[in-house]
Amino acid sequence: MRVYVPLTLPGLAQAHKAGELGPGPLTAYAVTPALREWYVSDDIEELEYAALSRAAAASLRLVAGDPEAPRRRVVVAVDVADRDAVADPDRGLDAGAIGEVRIAGAVPLAKAAAVHADADDAETDVAAAAAALGAADQGDDDAQFVVDGAEDHELLWFGVQEIPSLLG
């Protein structure tokens, strides 16, 4: 199963140094039954893009929580056994948890298929979105508009071998 693990650039640097994503448990996003129902599509590429987008939103929250992190969203696409990615049944009705899975242990970075990250030109919008998250969560429509502005930036695809240059 392909899962999408949200990170920050410092988190990616730590994973690169350690050779693994972890320690567990890790929160990731995948094509789950709830995501299929929410997205209402049978196209696996569309569903995987939806899971990637959910992970990008989670990455934005990680960026917002780390004032030292560069203002760029990062998601690592990793292949794990289906049994290793478990949806939390207690959060099944939580709209924020659609597509969310837990992975109990660390995942070797060698299992990563790709890294998705914002381009440098997204930093201003990602910074504004990170700053507006709290107000958006409280229902502020203007703040939500700012958060949505980060989503206008497509994450770029990087091969795993490009991580050192991505970390710069």
Side-chain angles (χ1 to χ4, degrees), residues 62-125:
L62 294 173
V63 167
D66 182 356
E68 301 300 315
R71 295 343 222 179
R72 292 172 64 192
R73 299 166 298 162
V74 176
V75 175
V76 179
V78 182
D79 293 316
V80 299
D82 288 358
R83 69 182 177 278
D84 293 339
V86 180
D88 183 349
D90 293 334
R91 295 197 62 200
L93 299 177
D94 181 357
I98 293 172
E100 187 179 286
V101 295
R102 297 266 188 255
I103 302 168
V107 177
L109 201 53
K111 290 190 175 191
V115 176
H116 302 272
D118 279 312
D120 292 339
D121 67 354
E123 286 190 33
T124 301
D125 288 338

Side-chain angles (χ1 to χ4, degrees), residues 7-81:
L7 293 174
T8 61
L9 280 173
L12 180 62
Q14 181 180 359
H16 184 256
K17 182 178 178 182
E20 65 183 16
L21 297 164
L26 297 171
T27 298
Y29 293 81
V31 178
T32 62
L35 186 122
R36 283 180 188 274
E37 185 176 322
W38 170 74
Y39 198 74
V40 191
S41 173
D42 289 332
D43 185 321
I44 190 64
E45 288 182 13
E46 287 182 19
L47 291 165
E48 286 184 347
Y49 184 78
L52 171 63
S53 297
R54 303 291 287 179
S59 176
L60 178 63
R61 291 191 176 281
L62 294 173
V63 167
D66 182 356
E68 301 300 315
R71 295 343 222 179
R72 292 172 64 192
R73 299 166 298 162
V74 176
V75 175
V76 179
V78 182
D79 293 316
V80 299

